[in-house]
Amino acid sequence: MGNTASSSTGSFFQDTSNGKPINWLQPPKDTTKWKSKPVFISNQSLSDIREIILWRSQPDLIHQEAEVSWTVSHITAVLHYVLKLEGISVSEFIAQRRIDEAWGPKREPIHKKRMTKMFLSFTHDFRKFLEVPKLHHDLSYQNNNKNEILAAFMDFLLQLLYDRTTWMYSFEDRIESLEKELRFLITVLGDTPFIVENLLAEFETVANYAGSLVHSLVFLSVRVFKSIRIDKELDTLLKRIHLLKFNISKFSNMLPPFISNAAAMTPTNTVPVDSLFIVDSLLYDLNDLMYREGGPIVDVKDQIELLHQGLMLSKSLLNGVKMPPNLEIQETVTRIRQVSYEAEYLISSFLSGNAPLWYFTVRLTHVIHKIKLIETLLQEIRKNYDIGALNIAEEFKETLLIDILISLKSEADKNKILELEDEDLLESIYKSLKGRRYLIVVDDIWSSNVWDDLRRCFPDDGNGSRILFTSRNKDVAPPNTIINTLPSLSNDQCWDLLEKKVFHNDPCPPKLVEIGKEIAAKCCGLPLAVVVIAEISARKLTRLWVAEGFIRKEETKSAESVAEEYLMELIDKSLVMVAKRRWDGGVKACIIHDLLRDLCLEISKQATFVKLVDSNCSIYQKGQHLISLQDPLTPFFGHHVRSFHAECPGSAFYLGSMNLLRVLDFKIIFNHTRLIGTEFLINLRYLVINGLPASISSLVNLEYLRVERIFEGYADIPLVILKMVRLRHLHVTPAGSFEEDCYSSHTNNLEVLSNVSILKLEDEEMLKCSPHLRKLKCKCEPLLVEENGISQYRYPDLRFLTQLQSLEMTEINFYRGKMSDSNFHGGKMAEINFPSTIKKLTMFGWRWPWEKMSIIGRLPNLEVLKLRHSAFVGEIWDTRDNEFEQLRFLKLENLDITQWNVASSEHFPSLRRLILYSCDNLEEIPFEIGEIATLELIEVQGKCRKSLVESARQIEEQQREIGNEELSVIIRHIYEPYD
């Protein structure tokens, strides 16, 4: 294509009436920034394209143009593609246009007839954009790699074909064939450069021919379009592609065992990361494929089994090699990891329909051959090295032994000590300590292997000698030893430490003291956390680990349970710190130290594990697990991306070439985002989005789905969602309801369902399709039922959910403003029944009288009860015997209770935590509450009376007087209610 852009002062469009340029939008006055960009298209032309988008988007004009059939989505795709080639972000372009519109000269509105002529001229001149860009020094795209440019160009053509124009439907079958062939060519481009390097000219010829055809299908006017034999052109293109596929087949059979081309090697090859999680993840997926009864995988089950066996053997051989890390081992680990990524890519391409059976068979045979070579290499390595236990801390142990012996001897003996071997060091220390009473202090031991090797040099003469060592890893402690956990710092101590850390010897400026103390309070009393601010939800973290495939599956445990064990192991090693805990002591949120975070980011950057991108990723960078897109409006293209995080784009977003994607996590900003190409995301496990894509049923491996419609009301939950076999978590924000025709007798595997509405008997019936639910969050109202000829109201009866442990129920009438009669119908209160399995219950807006509390109090397994926002109404709550026997956590929030009568501490025999939030009428906490033996915490916050705060402090004083130091009373953010 070259540098053929029009002048920066002229317009890309021509007025066909007189052939003169139409300068209807002036270029920006300050073009310094823009002139530094490559010149692929003029700034004026970019502005003209955007203006057509805005004009074409007007509702009253969308269907008025008979001469053109292309839509806003087509021209938007063009603009994004051109900007991507130019290295200009979409947000940058829009921001510059807004500055020009605000400060530049006002333009006159364009007449419809004149705009139509510009349309026609535009479609003619636009042809140059539908050619493969030429390589030149000004082109900003990626590394100026031809393979990359070809793949992105074909991906762009697929975006244009995705939205059919009017006359495309006449050639639907052949266009579908063309789309399939283009996806295959993109797959080959992303597989290995060896094939493409030998066929580059043929690839480019086919791509240009396809671009010309797409231009005709999408952008030509009706009059011009009818004069072209599109059917003939389509047939010619498909024949060219068939010839190219023949040559691809020929070169596929000529692939060398291992490609040395640098472009084919993953950047992780240069990074000392020994994780083989991709092998575990692939083995799990292969095991699943081997037991599938139907689908395209049936034809290649023998090869899948060979691949599984080969990987299992290679992993076993590698685990059996016990030797110090060296270049040979690191290269072998890299090859195993590389071949696993390669196999995963091929399998995903085949299952998504992007690679035909013949190509998959040829390439998978090649991969299996690679694995056999790796097996042979590992067997040779085993022969050359002894197989046995390896002490990974030899150097550390030797240094430690020298330090101990020098501390026992004089400094004059240092040179002699440095010359001793390990066994001589051990013997000298033993003899020096024998018969003596000693205290040895060793700081910061990380491995239990170190202590196992050191312990024999310390004689045990029963004379009161002691060994004290510190560690951040609890597992280091040997059996039958005393572990002393350091206490957390107080908020004041954290503030003193933070102040010294930030301001050194200077005092903190007065205006920063308040915010500084708030930050210090969030450090949870951990000294290292003082320099850490951000935190992440523990549940989200573990769910992402599971979705990414980081968790090694175990037969007897759920993946989430194993992930939690991983997290606890990191916490025990002090690599991760607890920021917030749940009511039962579990981890709610966690943080890491800033130094460790910097280290992780540096390694991740080298390994392309975490990457911040403006546009595309290399099609040969395998194993990209976390991609963060800076500009939410910029389209993205990446073949080997497994995890993608970005702000939710405000327009269409094409994902068709990202079939390895396992995590798609959009931060919700806009609504009405249109995901294109989701039918190819067969590996997707985790999805956060603001609306359901039409092809949601194609996501056959989806496990976690969160739909956030921030600025809209209810989201419909279609039947297809409930039929997704692997879906276990479904969250809809702010609320969702089953579609009207949503009915099924088939059970699903949902375990968590949030914010669903149960407003009619049909909704209750739909819940019966989810017998595995462990957690349910719902909005409901009384349902009218007829039994034995008698009509009566009752709330949803959920006793059929025999595995339900957590239930949050909101009375929908609380939002509708029906505060007084929502529970009473015909003078009788609507009945309710809860599953006996409930452990956690949250009630919101129910307005029940306190006399009905026994319905909840008799639940045999209830451990957590949260009563929020008028869940119960009335001035007095009298507790009763034999209720709440297992209750450990009680929270009362925004209730109008005045008096709480507890006759005995036996009424809450297991209570550990009591939280009172903005109960502004409650006079005091019953003193019997303070006598509960298990009570650990009373917390009072928000709007409340002075007498309530005083009663909490009196309980604390009384318990201190009788020696109870375990009870903690927290008073925070108190303000008095208005009289």
Side-chain angles (χ1 to χ4, degrees):
M1 186 180 301
N3 253 336
T4 58
S6 57
S7 170
S8 61
T9 59
S11 173
F12 179 68
F13 304 103
Q14 299 289 320
D15 186 336
T16 55
S17 60
N18 55 24
K20 295 180 180 180
I22 304 173
N23 292 307
W24 48 274
L25 179 62
Q26 296 297 322
K29 295 180 179 179
D30 182 10
T31 57
T32 306
K33 181 177 182 181
W34 291 76
K35 288 180 179 178
S36 65
K37 298 290 184 182
V39 184
F40 180 76
I41 179 175
S42 70
N43 301 329
Q44 181 67 46
S45 299
L46 290 173
S47 300
D48 292 350
I49 294 175
R50 176 174 174 266
E51 199 64 24
I52 282 189
I53 293 174
L54 297 176
W55 187 84
R56 183 71 170 164
S57 299
Q58 298 177 50
D60 59 333
L61 296 177
I62 290 178
H63 302 292
Q64 291 183 13
E65 292 298 330
E67 286 294 314
V68 295
S69 66
W70 43 272
T71 65
V72 172
S73 62
H74 290 117
I75 192 63
T76 301
V78 173
L79 176 63
H80 288 180
Y81 174 68
V82 173
L83 289 174
K84 184 162 40 177
L85 291 174
E86 293 288 338
I88 303 171
S89 73
V90 178
S91 294
E92 178 184 359
F93 171 70
I94 292 175
Q96 184 63 43
R97 294 302 97 196
R98 286 174 179 167
I99 293 173
D100 297 339
E101 290 168 1
W103 299 101
K106 301 299 180 183
R107 63 180 180 273
E108 295 297 326
I110 304 175
H111 191 271
K112 174 186 172 183
K113 184 177 180 180
R114 197 175 188 188
M115 179 63 82
T116 301
K117 293 180 179 180
M118 292 171 60
F119 270 144
L120 298 178
S121 176
F122 170 74
T123 57
H124 173 74
D125 292 334
F126 181 67
R127 174 66 185 84
K128 72 171 186 176
F129 295 126
L130 290 173
E131 295 177 358
V132 178
K134 304 298 182 185
L135 294 179
H136 56 82
H137 68 280
D138 286 333
L139 192 61
S140 175
Y141 189 84
Q142 287 302 323
N143 298 320
N144 226 4
N145 183 292
K146 194 67 175 183
N147 297 9
E148 309 272 353
I149 294 174
L150 277 167
F153 176 72
M154 291 183 185
D155 189 71
F156 165 56
L157 297 182
L158 285 173
Q159 292 181 54
L160 294 176
L161 288 173
Y162 198 89
D163 286 316
R164 300 288 198 257
T165 58
T166 305
W167 38 78
M168 278 190 193
Y169 293 106
S170 302
F171 314 99
E172 183 67 21
D173 292 343
R174 275 174 284 187
I175 290 178
E176 287 183 355
S177 298
L178 175 58
E179 289 175 319
K180 186 174 182 179
E181 300 294 6
L182 287 176
R183 287 197 299 271
F184 169 59
L185 295 181
I186 293 174
T187 298
V188 176
L189 285 166
D191 181 14
T192 168
F194 177 81
I195 299 174
V196 183
E197 286 171 356
N198 293 277
L199 300 171
L200 194 60
E202 292 184 49
F203 266 89
E204 185 169 0
T205 299
V206 166
N208 283 329
Y209 203 102
S212 177
L213 184 62
V214 171
H215 174 260
S216 299
L217 287 168
V218 177
F219 293 105
L220 289 186
S221 66
V222 175
R223 177 175 50 82
V224 178
F225 182 81
K226 287 181 178 180
S227 67
I228 299 175
R229 291 290 306 275
I230 292 295
D231 53 347
K232 183 178 179 181
E233 297 295 322
L234 273 167
D235 290 339
T236 302
L237 174 58
L238 291 173
K239 288 179 182 178
R240 286 175 178 263
I241 294 176
H242 182 75
L243 179 60
L244 176 57
K245 288 167 66 176
F246 175 80
N247 290 329
I248 290 173
S249 175
K250 181 175 66 176
F251 280 100
S252 296
N253 289 293
M254 298 169 56
L255 281 171
F258 288 100
I259 299 172
S260 59
N261 190 315
M265 300 299 286
T266 305
T268 54
N269 297 351
T270 61
V271 181
V273 178
D274 296 328
S275 171
L276 289 175
F277 91 88
I278 180 57
V279 180
D280 293 326
S281 177
L282 180 58
L283 284 171
Y284 179 80
D285 292 342
L286 291 174
N287 189 67
D288 178 61
L289 291 174
M290 288 190 298
Y291 289 97
R292 286 193 186 178
E293 297 297 330
I297 205 68
V298 172
D299 296 327
V300 290
K301 270 197 174 181
D302 291 342
Q303 283 182 297
I304 294 295
E305 290 177 0
L306 286 174
L307 178 61
H308 185 271
Q309 293 170 6
L311 280 175
M312 287 287 288
L313 179 58
S314 295
K315 183 183 175 184
S316 176
L317 288 170
L318 184 63
N319 291 337
V321 176
K322 304 295 183 180
M323 55 176 288
N326 58 31
L327 182 60
E328 190 175 20
I329 288 293
Q330 288 180 359
E331 288 180 350
T332 305
V333 170
T334 295
R335 285 185 172 181
I336 294 176
R337 212 167 42 234
Q338 190 76 17
V339 79
S340 297
Y341 282 126
E342 189 174 354
E344 181 188 52
Y345 176 75
L346 290 170
I347 292 171
S348 296
S349 300
F350 174 63
L351 293 178
S352 63
N354 290 344
L357 178 61
W358 67 264
Y359 184 80
F360 176 66
T361 303
V362 171
R363 288 288 291 111
L364 197 61
T365 301
H366 184 251
V367 168
I368 294 171
H369 179 60
K370 284 184 180 182
I371 294 175
K372 291 187 180 296
L373 293 178
I374 293 174
E375 291 174 15
T376 303
L377 179 62
L378 285 169
Q379 288 169 346
E380 289 297 321
I381 293 175
R382 283 169 64 95
K383 291 179 183 178
N384 296 332
Y385 294 92
D386 292 331
I387 300 176
L390 172 68
N391 185 348
I392 62 173
E394 288 294 332
E395 183 178 350
F396 174 76
K397 184 188 73 174
E398 181 180 0
T399 302
L400 185 58
L401 290 173
I402 291 172
D403 289 342
I404 292 173
L405 191 56
I406 288 177
S407 67
L408 295 173
K409 301 286 187 177
S410 64
E411 188 67 24
D413 299 325
K414 182 175 181 179
N415 292 333
K416 294 181 180 179
I417 292 174
L418 292 174
E419 296 175 357
L420 295 177
E421 299 293 333
D422 284 0
E423 289 300 319
D424 296 330
L425 288 169
L426 289 168
E427 183 180 355
S428 297
I429 293 173
Y430 186 88
K431 290 180 179 180
S432 298
L433 296 176
K434 184 63 177 174
R436 300 169 63 182
R437 190 180 184 198
Y438 57 85
L439 171 65
I440 301 292
V441 180
V442 183
D443 185 36
D444 206 10
I445 288 186
W446 277 86
S447 170
S448 58
N449 293 337
V450 175
W451 169 246
D452 292 339
D453 289 340
L454 289 178
R455 64 189 309 166
R456 57 196 179 100
C457 72
F458 300 121
D460 186 1
D461 296 327
N463 57 2
S465 294
R466 293 289 184 268
I467 299 172
L468 172 67
F469 59 81
T470 67
S471 176
R472 303 179 191 184
N473 184 0
K474 289 183 179 179
D475 295 337
V476 170
N480 303 319
T481 57
I482 299 174
I483 300 177
N484 292 301
T485 303
L486 292 177
S488 300
L489 299 179
S490 67
N491 287 347
D492 290 338
Q493 290 172 323
C494 278
W495 166 238
D496 290 341
L497 182 59
L498 179 61
E499 186 178 25
K500 291 178 181 178
K501 176 80 177 179
V502 176
F503 301 104
H504 305 290
N505 296 325
D506 298 326
C508 173
K511 64 180 180 180
L512 298 179
V513 170
E514 183 176 356
I515 186 65
K517 289 186 175 181
E518 288 183 12
I519 294 173
K522 293 181 180 180
C523 294
C524 310
L526 302 174
L528 286 177
V530 169
V531 289
V532 179
I533 306 303
E535 65 184 37
I536 185 173
S537 163
R539 282 182 180 167
K540 180 173 183 178
L541 182 62
T542 53
R543 285 170 182 166
L544 287 172
W545 286 352
V546 172
E548 286 269 20
F550 296 161
I551 305 303
R552 185 175 298 173
K553 307 296 190 300
E554 297 184 14
E555 292 184 3
T556 58
K557 298 178 182 177
S558 67
E560 286 81 3
S561 297
V562 177
E564 289 174 4
E565 291 178 3
Y566 284 15
L567 179 60
M568 291 309 301
E569 184 175 348
L570 292 173
I571 291 171
D572 288 342
K573 295 179 183 296
S574 297
L575 293 171
V576 173
M577 294 171 285
V578 179
K580 293 180 183 178
R581 290 196 178 271
R582 302 187 185 279
W583 64 271
D584 59 356
V587 181
K588 186 174 184 178
C590 53
I591 52 178
I592 62 173
H593 187 257
D594 63 335
L595 297 178
L596 180 60
R597 175 182 177 273
D598 292 343
L599 176 63
C600 292
L601 289 176
E602 181 60 30
I603 294 176
S604 298
K605 181 180 178 182
Q606 295 179 41
T608 68
F609 188 88
V610 176
K611 189 171 184 179
L612 193 65
V613 296
D614 291 313
S615 182
N616 301 335
C617 281
S618 169
I619 58 175
Y620 300 119
Q621 288 182 355
K622 294 181 173 64
Q624 299 167 98
H625 303 287
L626 182 63
I627 300 296
S628 180
L629 192 62
Q630 288 179 306
D631 183 359
L633 300 176
T634 298
F636 179 81
F637 176 74
H639 254 51
H640 299 277
V641 177
R642 294 168 61 95
S643 180
F644 187 79
H645 300 252
E647 291 182 353
C648 192
S651 58
F653 198 87
Y654 187 73
L655 299 158
S657 299
M658 299 170 65
N659 58 15
L660 282 177
L661 202 63
R662 298 172 72 99
V663 172
L664 182 57
D665 184 11
F666 280 131
K667 296 178 182 178
I668 308 302
I669 296 179
F670 305 103
N671 277 328
H672 307 298
T673 296
R674 181 175 173 231
L675 294 184
I676 302 174
T678 53
E679 59 267 34
F680 303 107
L681 304 184
I682 61 168
N683 284 299
L684 198 65
R685 265 74 169 176
Y686 184 105
L687 175 62
V688 179
I689 190 58
N690 56 13
L692 292 177
S695 55
I696 186 71
S697 60
S698 302
L699 308 180
V700 294
N701 285 303
L702 193 65
E703 298 176 354
Y704 181 96
L705 173 61
R706 186 178 190 91
V707 182
E708 297 188 357
R709 298 165 66 87
I710 297 178
F711 303 110
E712 298 187 12
Y714 281 71
D716 289 333
I717 301 175
L719 180 59
V720 66
I721 291 290
L722 302 177
K723 287 185 175 181
M724 297 178 73
V725 176
R726 294 179 180 267
L727 189 65
R728 292 182 294 112
H729 298 261
L730 175 59
H731 305 263
V732 182
T733 302
S737 58
F738 298 117
E739 285 187 345
E740 288 295 328
D741 59 348
C742 191
Y743 176 78
S744 175
S745 58
H746 299 286
T747 60
N748 56 58
N749 293 309
L750 279 179
E751 296 178 9
V752 179
L753 178 58
S754 292
N755 299 322
V756 65
S757 296
I758 310 174
L759 306 179
K760 52 185 183 296
L761 289 173
E762 290 79 4
D763 296 336
E764 183 181 271
E765 286 297 314
M766 283 306 303
L767 284 180
K768 292 181 180 179
C769 298
S770 307
H772 307 295
L773 277 180
R774 295 182 293 103
K775 183 176 181 179
L776 174 63
K777 184 177 180 181
C778 62
K779 294 178 173 65
C780 57
E781 65 179 351
L783 308 176
L784 179 61
V785 297
E786 185 171 333
E787 296 179 359
N788 300 322
I790 301 175
S791 297
Q792 61 180 3
Y793 284 89
R794 66 164 173 80
Y795 282 98
D797 189 345
L798 304 177
R799 287 178 290 181
F800 54 82
L801 297 176
T802 58
Q803 299 184 36
L804 194 65
Q805 296 184 5
S806 177
L807 175 63
E808 180 175 328
M809 301 182 75
T810 299
E811 226 294 351
I812 195 69
N813 289 300
F814 180 81
Y815 290 110
R816 296 173 178 168
K818 299 178 182 179
M819 300 292 293
S820 59
D821 59 353
S822 59
N823 295 306
F824 293 90
H825 298 269
K828 184 178 179 181
M829 185 173 181
E831 295 182 358
I832 190 168
N833 291 287
F834 297 102
S836 61
T837 54
I838 292 293
K839 291 185 176 181
K840 180 179 179 181
L841 177 62
T842 302
M843 302 185 68
F844 191 110
W846 282 74
R847 299 192 61 79
W848 274 12
W850 289 105
E851 291 77 12
K852 291 290 184 178
M853 179 58 78
S854 293
I855 297 175
I856 298 173
R858 289 195 296 265
L859 292 173
N861 297 296
L862 188 65
E863 297 180 353
V864 178
L865 177 61
K866 298 180 180 181
L867 304 177
R868 305 179 60 201
H869 296 274
S870 302
F872 280 77
V873 294
E875 295 184 355
I876 302 175
W877 177 20
D878 293 318
T879 61
R880 302 174 183 177
D881 295 333
N882 303 318
E883 294 181 356
F884 299 108
E885 294 187 347
Q886 302 298 323
L887 194 69
R888 301 165 65 185
F889 181 98
L890 175 61
K891 182 175 184 179
L892 308 180
E893 178 182 347
N894 287 109
L895 305 179
D896 62 1
I897 181 174
T898 300
Q899 186 175 341
W900 182 13
N901 298 324
V902 179
S904 168
S905 60
E906 294 299 319
H907 283 194
F908 298 94
S910 303
L911 190 65
R912 294 186 179 182
R913 297 190 172 200
L914 171 64
I915 310 296
L916 301 174
Y917 183 87
S918 291
C919 292
D920 48 341
N921 293 328
L922 186 59
E923 296 175 353
E924 64 179 14
I925 302 173
F927 286 99
E928 289 79 7
I929 292 292
E931 297 174 357
I932 298 174
T934 57
L935 192 64
E936 299 173 353
L937 172 68
I938 296 176
E939 184 172 331
V940 181
Q941 53 179 308
K943 185 166 59 173
C944 62
R945 296 182 179 276
K946 290 182 179 179
S947 59
L948 181 65
V949 174
E950 186 60 30
S951 67
R953 288 174 173 157
Q954 288 179 6
I955 290 175
E956 182 180 30
E957 291 175 4
Q958 288 180 354
Q959 293 302 306
R960 292 288 184 272
E961 290 175 359
I962 63 175
N964 181 4
E965 300 292 335
E966 301 299 322
L967 177 62
S968 175
V969 174
I970 298 177
I971 310 294
R972 65 174 69 181
H973 307 304
I974 298 296
Y975 58 97
E976 295 187 49
Y978 295 105
D979 294 332

